[in-house]
Structures are given as structure tokens and as C-alpha cells.
């Protein structure tokens, strides 16, 4: 969500859902909004439902007992850190392995 994309074709469903929550000021259980607030998104009902469900599962969106939704900034930050760590592992391990192979070859010659 680093760039402001609006509801253009480039915006993902998750971005669009999170934008609705932020624009409505739904940042906690007290300011949570019903699912009907998402009706104007240019997405199918199934896509909206699936997206909200995934965001709730990932901890980015909170859900109250009476089915209201809000943006969870802390949940988003936790998810961002997990994703960063995952990418770091994907890139760091191969680089370290290449360096070790290079050093081992130099030592053997």
C-alpha cells in the first residue's frame, strides 16, 4: 500500500478493500464497518468476500462478533515483516551459498 492507486485497474482487490476501510476510518472495533460498505467496489461479491476473508485470516483486517470489519495496522505490520523475512531468506541463502562455493574453490586451487 505504498503507492496511492485508487480504484483503477492496477489496484488489487486487497488494496481496494483496505482503501475502503481507511477512507471510512475503520481502524478499530468501535469504528468497524459492515460488509455493505464495500458494495461500490468494481469487484464481484465473491471476490470481495474472498479478499476480506483472506485479509482477516492474515490478521490485516479485524472482524467483530457482529460481522463488522476494520483495518488492523499492527496486523499489517506483522504481515509485512513476515513477507520481508521470507524474501530475505529467498535471496540471502543463495548468495551465501554462492560465496561459500567461490571461497571453497579458491581454497582448493
Amino acid at each position: 500500500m505504498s503507492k496511492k492507486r485508487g480504484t483503477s485497474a492496477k489496484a488489487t482487490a486487497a488494496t481496494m478493500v483496505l482503501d475502503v476501510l481507511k477512507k471510512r476510518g475503520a481502524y478499530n472495533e468501535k469504528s468497524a464497518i459492515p460488509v455493505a460498505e464495500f458494495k461500490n467496489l468494481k469487484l464481484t461479491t465473491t471476490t470481495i468476500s474472498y479478499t476480506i476473508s483472506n485479509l482477516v485470516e492474515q490478521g490485516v483486517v479485524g472482524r467483530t462478533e457482529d460481522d463488522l470489519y476494520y483495518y488492523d495496522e499492527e496486523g499489517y505490520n506483522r504481515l509485512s515483516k513476515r513477507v520481508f523475512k521470507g524474501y530475505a531468506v529467498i535471496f540471502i541463502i543463495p548468495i551465501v551459498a554462492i560465496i561459500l562455493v567461490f571461497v571453497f574453490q579458491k581454497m582448493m586451487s
Side-chain angles (χ1 to χ4, degrees), residues 5 8 10-11 30 36 43 47 58 64 66 70 80 82 88 90 92 98 106:
R5 288 176 239 165
S8 69
K10 293 182 180 180
K30 292 180 182 178
L43 300 169
T47 302
Q58 294 170 345
T64 66
D66 49 346
Y70 60 95
S80 294
R82 285 194 314 247
I90 289 171
I92 291 173
I98 290 169
K106 288 293 183 184

Side-chain angles (χ1 to χ4, degrees), residues 1 6 8-9 13 15-16 21 23 29 32 42 47 58 60-61 71 74 79 81-82 85 92 96 98 100:
M1 288 8 90
S8 69
T15 302
M16 293 167 73
L21 292 168
K23 286 178 184 175
E29 289 187 18
K42 295 178 182 177
T47 302
Q58 294 170 345
V60 177
V61 170
Y71 174 68
E74 290 177 19
L79 178 63
K81 287 178 186 176
R82 285 194 314 247
K85 288 177 184 177
I92 291 173
V96 169
I98 290 169
L100 288 175

Side-chain angles (χ1 to χ4, degrees), residues 2 7 27 29 35 37 45 48 58 60 64 73 85 98:
S2 61
T7 56
Y27 290 100
E29 289 187 18
V35 74
E37 294 288 328
T45 304
I48 293 170
Q58 294 170 345
V60 177
T64 66
E73 181 82 34
K85 288 177 184 177
I98 290 169

Side-chain angles (χ1 to χ4, degrees), residues 8-83:
S8 69
K10 293 182 180 180
T12 65
T15 302
M16 293 167 73
V17 167
L18 293 176
D19 284 347
V20 169
L21 292 168
K22 291 174 184 179
K23 286 178 184 175
R24 302 290 191 286
Y27 290 100
N28 55 44
E29 289 187 18
K30 292 180 182 178
S31 60
I33 59 173
V35 74
E37 294 288 328
F38 301 96
K39 69 182 177 199
N40 292 330
L41 292 178
K42 295 178 182 177
L43 300 169
T44 65
T45 304
T46 305
T47 302
I48 293 170
S49 175
Y50 179 78
T51 302
I52 292 172
S53 177
N54 281 339
L55 291 170
V56 168
E57 189 175 301
Q58 294 170 345
V60 177
V61 170
R63 180 179 177 186
T64 66
E65 290 181 14
D66 49 346
D67 290 329
L68 300 175
Y69 300 92
Y70 60 95
Y71 174 68
D72 185 348
E73 181 82 34
E74 290 177 19
Y76 177 78
N77 291 336
R78 283 191 302 271
L79 178 63
S80 294
K81 287 178 186 176
R82 285 194 314 247
V83 169

Side-chain angles (χ1 to χ4, degrees), residues 85-101:
K85 288 177 184 177
Y87 280 118
V89 168
I90 289 171
F91 292 110
I92 291 173
I93 290 176
I95 291 170
V96 169
I98 290 169
I99 291 171
L100 288 175
V101 167

